Amino acid sequence: NLQSTTTLHNGIEMPWFGLGVFKVKDGSEVINSVKAAIEAGYKSIDTAAIYGNEEGVGKAIAESNVPREELFITTKVWNSEQGYDSTLAAFDESMKKLGLEYLDLYLIHWPVPEQNKYKETWKALETLYKDGRVRAIGVSNFKEHHLKDLLEDCEVVPMVNQVEYHPRLTQTSLHEFCKQNRIQLEAWSPLMQGGLFEEPTLQEIARKYGKSTAQVILRWDLQNEVVTIPKSVKPHRIQENANIFDFELSSEDMEKINSLNQDQRVGSDPDVMN
Ligand code: NAD
């Protein structure tokens, strides 16, 4: 169900399913979507400093009647703030905006190899983790070679890697590498930002189960053991997206969806993003 969690390698429980708020405007838009999600039973919210809506996310949390401890809040340090001291300052800034005493998951948003600062940035995340200000730390958009490089020097192995992941980009070797290192994979743009709804194979599978194409894709994430955080600002879609715990895709249908992979990104390539 919606409360089901994956146990991260440090023992922290992270919901398999949550709400993403990329491109959702601060103020009433984000407040209303986070509230609609919490009312629909969502426990996990994914934001980032760069989304500019941490204040609204914080307001929605404060105004909801779900206890803080039941929620799982993620935010991310933006590229321009990478480095040890600047990351500690960015964290304080995010926490002030969110109005939280502690965070559940803090991520390095992109590796930005050009800056070559992600190891220093990681040290700041390790400090925040050891100080108990965040329950889990991780990375985002790290390819296998970025992870290998980080693993050579880190004290704490990242608990999560949040990457672009959908039926057109299944990231099989990265996923395998993450499993071997007990790093939980998390999907961003799981619905390929809306680009998959006309795909005939997905439509056919959706008809077969009496589900929407979005629900089939999100169910496929769960069965592949990938945390998923679809975005919507529409309450009926927020509810629809969460309604994926009452059916199971057959292994044949899972394979059919896996084989839609074309290594196709809608977002930036992490090696060139700066
Ligand atoms: P998404 O794949 O979740 O697609 C969202 C879009 O799909 C919505 O704008 C909506 O138009 C449509 N949609 C949603 N549910 C639908 C439904 N049931 N039926 C029809 N259409 C529907 O796109 P996303 O927002 O890019 O990704 C999800 C979250 O991942 C983001 O909000 C953000 O939190 C995170 N993210 C992280 C990074 C990163 O670099 N770490 C990058 C992009 C996104």
Side-chain angles (χ1 to χ4, degrees):
N1 59 33
L2 255 185
Q3 332 293 333
S4 64
T5 54
T6 171
T7 308
L8 304 179
H9 74 65
N10 64 337
I12 293 294
E13 302 291 330
M14 175 177 190
W16 282 109
F17 183 83
L19 179 78
V21 295
F22 180 41
K23 290 184 181 161
V24 181
K25 283 191 224 63
D26 202 17
S28 61
E29 190 176 54
V30 81
I31 293 172
N32 290 338
S33 55
V34 172
K35 279 187 177 169
I38 293 175
E39 273 163 31
Y42 287 54
K43 300 294 184 206
S44 171
I45 310 292
D46 180 87
T47 185
I50 194 69
Y51 301 168
N53 57 20
E54 288 170 315
E55 278 182 45
V57 169
K59 277 208 186 90
I61 294 168
E63 288 170 16
S64 83
N65 35 32
V66 174
R68 162 70 185 100
E69 316 78 66
E70 287 183 21
L71 299 173
F72 190 98
I73 311 301
T74 301
T75 193
K76 317 180 188 90
V77 56
W78 184 241
N79 303 346
S80 55
E81 309 309 308
Q82 281 207 34
Y84 188 82
D85 292 333
S86 41
T87 295
L88 294 180
F91 181 83
D92 286 340
E93 189 66 26
S94 283
M95 294 302 279
K96 207 162 77 189
K97 287 185 173 153
L98 287 163
L100 297 178
E101 298 285 316
Y102 68 90
L103 188 69
D104 296 283
L105 178 63
Y106 200 41
L107 303 177
I108 301 182
H109 207 143
W110 292 87
V112 203
E114 195 181 282
Q115 290 192 78
N116 193 24
K117 282 187 186 166
Y118 60 72
K119 289 189 185 178
E120 258 183 76
T121 307
W122 186 252
K123 284 203 165 56
L125 267 63
E126 289 177 333
T127 297
L128 294 165
Y129 177 63
K130 286 181 204 157
D131 290 350
R133 303 198 61 200
V134 54
R135 297 167 73 229
I137 51 177
V139 295
S140 178
N141 298 301
F142 274 47
K143 290 186 177 180
E144 205 171 314
H145 72 95
H146 305 121
L147 283 174
K148 278 186 179 147
D149 185 42
L150 182 62
L151 291 176
E152 274 175 24
D153 288 303
C154 64
E155 273 182 65
V156 180
V157 173
M159 287 116 202
V160 170
N161 186 17
Q162 182 188 110
V163 300
E164 183 177 344
Y165 178 95
H166 44 66
R168 290 274 185 244
L169 182 69
T170 56
Q171 305 262 30
T172 45
S173 77
L174 176 63
H175 195 181
E176 199 44 52
F177 181 82
C178 286
K179 278 185 190 163
Q180 282 161 12
N181 289 281
R182 301 192 305 157
I183 300 170
Q184 174 65 53
L185 200 71
E186 179 176 19
W188 64 252
S189 295
L191 302 173
M192 209 183 170
Q193 298 181 355
L196 279 169
F197 299 135
E198 303 305 315
E199 210 296 317
T201 304
L202 293 172
Q203 287 184 333
E204 187 195 309
I205 294 172
R207 270 197 302 276
K208 176 172 153 187
Y209 291 88
K211 286 285 176 178
S212 70
T213 313
Q215 288 169 327
V216 165
I217 298 168
L218 298 169
R219 180 71 206 182
W220 168 82
D221 288 337
L222 300 184
Q223 289 184 219
N224 277 330
E225 297 179 10
V226 176
V227 169
T228 192
I229 46 166
K231 174 226 157 187
S232 175
V233 295
K234 299 199 169 85
H236 73 278
R237 283 184 175 162
I238 288 174
Q239 286 169 18
E240 174 191 328
N241 291 344
N243 190 9
I244 54 173
F245 295 92
D246 60 351
F247 75 114
E248 191 174 344
L249 297 165
S250 68
S251 48
E252 293 78 23
D253 290 327
M254 287 296 292
E255 270 320 304
K256 273 189 197 166
I257 304 173
N258 290 338
S259 66
L260 296 174
N261 180 49
Q262 296 179 352
D263 294 332
Q264 185 190 341
R265 292 180 188 277
V266 285
S268 300
D269 186 311
D271 279 318
V272 298
M273 175 71 176
N274 53 38

